Amino acid sequence: MLVGIIYLYYHTPDQSFALSSFYNIKLPGRNMNGLFWLLFIAFAVKMPLFPFHTWQPDTYEQAPTATTMVLSGVMVKMGVLGMIRWLAPVIPTGLWLWGDAASFLCMFGMVYASLLAMRQDDLKRLVAYSSIAHMSLMGLAVLSTTETGLQGGHHSNVQSWN
């Protein structure tokens, strides 16, 4: 993500880190391919989405219960917020070009994590896999690039934080 943001910074009209400057960048489509994957993978690790989810079950299992709840309730939702605030408005061509591939990862991850959640006998691992399935659904909503999908991803985040 850092490499992608620095690249975007050098292409802002006013050489600024202001979010409005990033929203005004006009890049050729070929540059947005790599940028999409740099940012998407960073957010997919944070959310976590398949196949970048492997840290979450072990982390949830080993962490104290309070830490697990903070991770599940707040921290993983930051990846969704990043997708809403960065992928959709800053690199829309990359999202248009690669959104279907990323959506497939979300759909596969949702089914995969749900099946694994049903097989768990450890409550924290069950929470971890159900969280992966939930984040996959939210990622799929954001990647749909529809107003309803973006609102659904945003409102699910806001309601989880309240």
Side-chain angles (χ1 to χ4, degrees):
M1 181 177 356
L2 180 62
V3 170
I5 289 174
I6 290 172
Y7 180 84
L8 288 168
Y9 165 78
Y10 283 113
H11 289 86
T12 57
D14 56 353
Q15 298 288 294
S16 170
F17 279 109
L19 194 55
S20 59
S21 295
F22 287 109
Y23 288 169
N24 293 324
I25 293 175
K26 302 293 184 227
L27 293 172
R30 69 183 190 291
N31 293 358
M32 290 197 186
N33 290 335
L35 283 171
F36 171 81
W37 286 108
L38 285 173
L39 295 178
F40 175 76
I41 289 172
F43 298 135
V45 169
K46 182 70 175 162
M47 287 174 70
L49 297 177
F50 177 85
F52 310 104
H53 69 288
T54 56
W55 64 270
Q56 192 178 25
D58 293 334
T59 302
Y60 277 31
E61 185 178 35
Q62 299 299 320
T65 303
T67 304
T68 301
M69 294 304 109
V70 170
L71 282 170
S72 183
V74 178
M75 295 305 294
V76 296
K77 311 285 190 303
M78 294 297 169
V80 176
L81 183 63
M83 287 177 65
I84 291 170
R85 300 282 296 198
W86 284 89
L87 284 184
V90 176
I91 47 176
T93 305
L95 184 61
W96 180 78
L97 289 171
W98 293 102
D100 290 344
S103 295
F104 176 78
L105 291 176
C106 290
M107 287 186 291
F108 183 82
M110 194 177 352
V111 173
Y112 170 75
S114 297
L115 292 172
L116 286 175
M118 289 189 289
R119 302 280 303 157
Q120 298 307 309
D121 54 2
D122 183 300
L123 183 61
K124 287 184 178 182
R125 290 187 82 80
L126 173 94
V127 169
Y129 284 114
S130 64
S131 178
I132 293 167
H134 178 228
M135 290 295 99
S136 296
L137 177 62
M138 291 174 64
L140 186 59
V142 172
L143 290 168
S144 73
T145 66
T146 64
E147 185 176 344
T148 304
L150 289 172
Q151 286 177 352
H154 178 321
H155 288 300
S156 181
N157 266 343
V158 171
Q159 290 176 3
S160 295
W161 293 338
N162 289 334

